Amino acid sequence: MKYDVVIVGAGVAGLESAIVLASKGFKVAVVESKPAEKIGDKTCGDAIGIHHFEKISLEIPSKVIDYKYQGVKIYSPSEKHGLIVPGEGVSVNRVRFGQWLLEEALKKGVELYDSHVLTDVIIKNDMVEEVRVKKVNGPVVELKANAFIDASGARPALRSKLPDTWPISDKPFTTDFNIAYREVIRSVNPIPEEDSKYALIYLNAEVAPGGYWWLFPKSDDRVVLNIGLGVVWNGVYNPRHNYEKYLKPRFRGDLIHAGGGIVPTRRPLPTLVWRNVGVVGDAAYTVNPVHGGGIGSSLEAAYIVSTYIGNGLEAGGVDEKKVWEANIKYMQAYGAKQAGLDILRMYLQKLSNDDFEWILKNKIVDGSSVYDLGVKGELGEKILHTVSAMIKLLGKPSLLNQLRIVRSYMNRLMSLHSTEYPKSPEELPKWMSLVENIVEEYARTIGFDRGQKVKW
């Protein structure tokens, strides 16, 4: 079969890409390993800030929203101290959200190959010519296209089969990921009303080393709860074991859904387009490195990349030169912020419970500063000025010096991903080398072990 675009993966990024391209009149196929009725069934925290929907003008129906939040509340390890970060968000029902996106895509003529897995990628003349997909207990199907998009998730089915010489096949480190486990339960006891307005995040290096644990209410009666944790992927920690040990005894109730997964928590791929291939969603590492939220940023990346691939097709063809602007737009919209937060993430993963407790107890940062940090990705003068004043009163000069180092590297990496991002593909290798050198230098400076390179 021949299509204009073949998309691998029917998560939010893949389906948003399909909707954008089909809306332009292109013939689009989506390949998904799950059966159609299971599309949208994914383990995650389900929470998303509404500003992501607004940025791509996506109006979602009320039926996909389980709950609305007024912000995020961050708790210290002792849970005696909290910090409220303002910002409206929602908890989506992932299955209903996925099914709604699928319905919208099918309405626009997208063809779905559900229960199919990608088995091979055929490259000719330095371009992807076709992918071969196999139906579960069925035949192999050859799908040819002018362009392809990998939206297959953190273990990228398409991107991992591309030549190592293509920068889009960049390999991450193990510590660039969190591994997570969560359960949705109907609790025997409602959570306190004062906490029910917020998505609750708990910093605790014992319960969730290298990550955090969360409690997100999902119903007005405050008894349906999404509870889970993420830990750094270093071969030592097991998120389900920690859930069973620390969280399950605290929250009794009827199990609704359980599952685990892997979440990229790093800066984005150096390029989201190469030759006639685009990459979006978890496959492109378009996840917030600090809080691990990826629904909104996946939608944004999908909207940008698919728009520019569509523009390229309308102009006669797709390669990295014709759609390079997609990288620049994504880095400006979200990627540069991710790069800065990647630096902060590595620092936070080095902090102890005593450090977290001290910071929140002494109100070193306030909610509005954390909101600015999350939205802009910058560790700005406001935060450092406040921290500096507090540290002079409370003592702990080492913290101020550490934050100055973090800010310096955050600013450098953000600049490289925004104003200094390559204007053409020819400039990419030198830029990639510079980014890697800075990240490696920073890791040595703070004593952060990056782990091993991942080979899928």
Side-chain angles (χ1 to χ4, degrees):
M1 293 292 291
K2 179 65 183 288
Y3 295 90
D4 293 309
V5 186
V6 170
I7 299 168
V8 181
V12 296
L15 291 173
E16 170 66 11
S17 298
I19 290 168
V20 170
L21 287 160
S23 296
K24 290 175 172 283
F26 295 112
K27 187 178 181 182
V28 179
V30 173
V31 178
E32 170 57 47
S33 60
K34 296 174 183 175
E37 67 272 14
K38 291 288 186 180
I39 288 175
D41 186 4
K42 180 181 178 180
T43 299
C44 80
D46 303 334
I48 175 175
I50 63 169
H51 63 280
H52 290 292
F53 296 128
E54 294 168 348
K55 287 177 74 173
I56 62 171
S57 301
L58 182 64
E59 296 183 9
I60 62 172
S62 59
K63 68 180 181 180
V64 310
I65 298 174
D66 282 335
Y67 200 71
K68 295 183 178 181
Y69 304 117
Q70 295 179 11
V72 175
K73 191 171 185 179
I74 303 172
Y75 274 109
S76 70
S78 72
E79 301 176 27
K80 295 178 180 178
H81 310 288
L83 172 69
I84 295 174
V85 183
E88 188 177 353
V90 297
S91 174
V92 295
N93 182 297
R94 282 305 300 267
V95 173
R96 288 201 294 265
F97 187 35
Q99 290 292 309
W100 174 72
L101 286 171
L102 175 61
E103 181 183 345
E104 293 298 302
L106 295 177
K107 283 180 184 177
K108 295 185 183 301
V110 173
E111 295 184 31
L112 176 67
Y113 290 81
D114 65 329
S115 300
H116 281 72
V117 294
L118 187 146
T119 61
D120 202 5
V121 176
I122 307 302
I123 297 174
K124 289 187 178 179
N125 300 320
D126 210 26
M127 303 281 274
V128 175
E129 182 182 69
E130 71 177 54
V131 295
R132 293 175 181 171
V133 300
K134 186 179 186 304
K135 187 175 178 64
V136 178
N137 300 320
V140 172
V141 181
E142 298 177 354
L143 303 178
K144 297 180 182 291
N146 297 315
F148 298 82
I149 294 178
D150 190 348
S152 59
R155 291 184 171 91
L158 173 57
R159 189 169 68 79
S160 61
K161 292 179 173 61
L162 299 177
D164 287 341
T165 54
W166 292 14
I168 205 169
S169 64
D170 184 58
K171 302 295 188 298
F173 287 85
T174 51
T175 57
D176 287 338
F177 296 84
N178 262 202
I179 46 177
Y181 177 80
R182 75 98 169 92
E183 293 186 355
V184 177
I185 67 168
R186 182 172 294 278
S187 175
V188 296
N189 297 309
I191 65 169
E193 187 171 0
E194 62 269 21
D195 278 344
S196 66
K197 303 173 184 177
Y198 305 104
L200 307 175
I201 287 177
Y202 297 80
L203 301 174
N204 192 311
E206 181 180 10
V207 176
Y212 62 86
W213 72 270
W214 68 82
L215 192 163
F216 298 163
K218 288 181 68 69
S219 64
D220 291 335
D221 58 10
R222 314 195 313 274
V223 296
V224 180
L225 309 174
N226 181 319
I227 308 165
L229 58 87
V231 301
V232 65
W233 184 23
N234 61 3
V236 177
Y237 308 115
N238 183 315
R240 181 161 188 174
H241 173 269
N242 281 29
Y243 183 93
E244 297 282 346
K245 180 178 180 180
Y246 295 107
L247 301 183
K248 199 173 187 70
R250 290 183 57 171
F251 302 100
R252 294 184 298 111
D254 296 327
L255 180 65
I256 298 174
H257 191 279
I262 185 169
V263 184
T265 52
R266 51 155 280 167
R267 64 197 179 281
L269 274 177
T271 175
L272 275 60
V273 292
W274 199 258
R275 300 299 188 257
N276 60 335
V277 178
V279 188
V280 296
D282 285 4
Y285 315 136
T286 58
V287 174
N288 185 298
V290 172
H291 61 58
I295 301 174
S297 48
S298 291
L299 287 168
E300 288 190 45
Y303 179 81
I304 292 169
V305 170
S306 57
T307 295
Y308 279 91
I309 284 179
N311 293 345
L313 290 170
E314 288 172 345
V318 171
D319 62 30
E320 67 272 19
K321 293 181 180 180
K322 293 184 177 71
V323 297
W324 192 251
E325 188 73 13
N327 280 326
I328 295 172
K329 291 296 184 183
Y330 179 74
M331 294 304 174
Q332 292 172 346
Y334 203 79
K337 165 185 157 178
Q338 276 185 260
L341 292 178
D342 193 16
I343 293 294
L344 180 61
R345 181 265 306 178
M346 287 186 269
Y347 173 70
L348 292 175
Q349 288 180 329
K350 293 281 294 179
L351 296 183
S352 67
N353 274 356
D354 287 342
D355 294 325
F356 287 129
E357 194 72 27
W358 189 86
I359 289 169
L360 288 172
K361 177 182 178 181
N362 292 295
K363 303 184 187 303
I364 296 301
V365 291
D366 59 21
S368 62
S369 296
V370 175
Y371 177 81
D372 287 344
L373 180 62
V375 171
K376 301 175 184 177
E378 300 172 345
L379 188 63
E381 290 296 336
K382 176 183 176 184
I383 294 177
L384 274 182
H385 178 75
T386 303
V387 170
S388 179
M390 292 297 295
I391 286 174
K392 288 178 182 178
L393 293 174
L394 299 169
K396 211 160 189 176
S398 61
L399 177 62
L400 182 58
N401 185 54
Q402 291 166 11
L403 290 179
R404 284 175 173 151
I405 291 172
V406 172
R407 183 185 67 161
S408 174
Y409 280 96
M410 285 180 70
N411 289 346
R412 186 72 186 101
L413 214 58
M414 287 184 69
S415 178
L416 278 170
H417 283 74
S418 55
T419 57
E420 298 175 58
Y421 187 78
K423 300 298 187 291
S424 68
E426 291 77 15
E427 301 172 22
L428 187 64
K430 181 178 179 180
W431 179 88
M432 288 176 62
S433 178
L434 181 57
V435 169
E436 176 59 27
N437 289 340
I438 289 173
V439 173
E440 182 59 35
E441 177 184 281
Y442 171 71
R444 289 196 307 269
T445 299
I446 67 170
F448 183 85
D449 183 0
R450 300 177 71 190
Q452 303 297 317
K453 282 277 190 178
V454 177
K455 295 181 180 179
W456 300 118

